[in-house]
Amino acid sequence: MPGGQEVQFASDIEEEANSHFQKIYSGATSIADVTTMLRTFQASSVAREQQVYACMVHNLFDEYRYFPKYPDKPLRTTAILFGALVQHGLVTTVTLGKFLRYVLEAVRRPPSSGKMFKFGATALDQFRSRLPEWPQYCQHLLAIPHIGEVQPDVTQLLETVVRTRGATTDAVGSAPATSIGSPVAAGAS
């Protein structure tokens, strides 16, 4: 899982998680249905459902390094799911910070670079209504020279958030304030 710990899931949990992904990519189920299911599994008192939820989030996070190799349509589907997890609060604390950092890294790429910029822009569109929760993240997004050219409506929202909420602190207890403010998130190596 994000945060450095190695996670192993039972094979039947992995199989169930993978079957849900297959249903998404084949069009047999919608991302909205999967996010509803994940919300239920996240809050469930049934250990198996919690494990399937954790496995799906872990697998999506772990798969990020392979996203540049995805064909366009599955990558777009993945971006929508990635952003929906953020939008619906299905990732929190360290994992939320990592998801947000991955989106930031993707939209920092030049729009002409192709796939990963599109991934980031698509994922960002999914959770735009939550951006006011993270003024510092908004400031990082605004610092991207091309963001206004490719997403002018998002830029207006970002400017409003930074102007009205400031960017020195995020909401109390919000993980992105520390995760997104880190040198790695800000672009330092």
Side-chain angles (χ1 to χ4, degrees):
M1 275 309 258
Q5 59 270 45
E6 192 65 31
V7 178
Q8 293 275 318
F9 294 97
S11 61
D12 61 321
I13 299 295
E14 286 275 0
E15 287 173 20
E16 183 173 343
N18 288 336
S19 76
H20 291 298
F21 284 120
Q22 288 297 330
K23 289 175 187 174
I24 293 168
Y25 293 114
S26 71
T29 191
S30 70
I31 291 174
D33 289 344
V34 170
T35 56
T36 298
M37 178 199 71
L38 288 172
R39 209 170 318 149
T40 301
F41 284 11
Q42 180 186 36
S44 177
S45 60
V46 178
R48 179 180 179 78
E49 290 179 349
Q50 290 180 352
Q51 291 171 354
V52 171
Y53 155 78
C55 183
M56 288 185 73
V57 170
H58 175 267
N59 288 354
L60 188 62
F61 177 84
D62 200 43
E63 192 72 8
Y64 178 81
R65 65 181 162 233
Y66 302 110
F67 288 176
K69 297 177 182 175
Y70 277 32
D72 290 343
K73 186 176 179 187
L75 184 61
R76 180 170 169 25
T77 300
T78 303
I80 293 168
L81 178 60
F82 206 88
L85 293 178
V86 174
Q87 173 63 28
H88 297 290
L90 292 167
V91 288
T92 58
T93 62
V94 172
T95 308
L96 173 62
K98 298 277 188 177
F99 269 55
L100 292 175
R101 188 186 84 207
Y102 284 169
V103 171
L104 183 64
E105 287 175 359
V107 295
R108 278 188 172 140
R109 296 180 187 212
S112 61
S113 68
K115 288 182 177 187
M116 288 310 290
F117 175 82
K118 288 178 188 175
F119 166 84
T122 301
L124 182 64
D125 281 341
Q126 306 312 304
F127 63 87
R128 78 170 50 199
S129 69
R130 289 198 64 196
L131 289 171
E133 296 176 38
W134 309 303
Q136 187 178 20
Y137 187 70
C138 292
Q139 187 172 18
H140 288 301
L141 288 166
L142 273 174
I144 300 169
H146 54 265
I147 200 79
E149 298 167 25
V150 293
Q151 293 199 298
D153 53 330
V154 170
T155 302
Q156 291 175 341
L157 172 63
L158 297 172
E159 289 170 345
T160 300
V161 169
V162 170
R163 185 175 56 252
T164 60
R165 302 236 1 240
T168 56
T169 59
D170 277 346
V172 176
S174 175
T178 55
S179 299
I180 302 304
S182 72
V184 172
S189 306

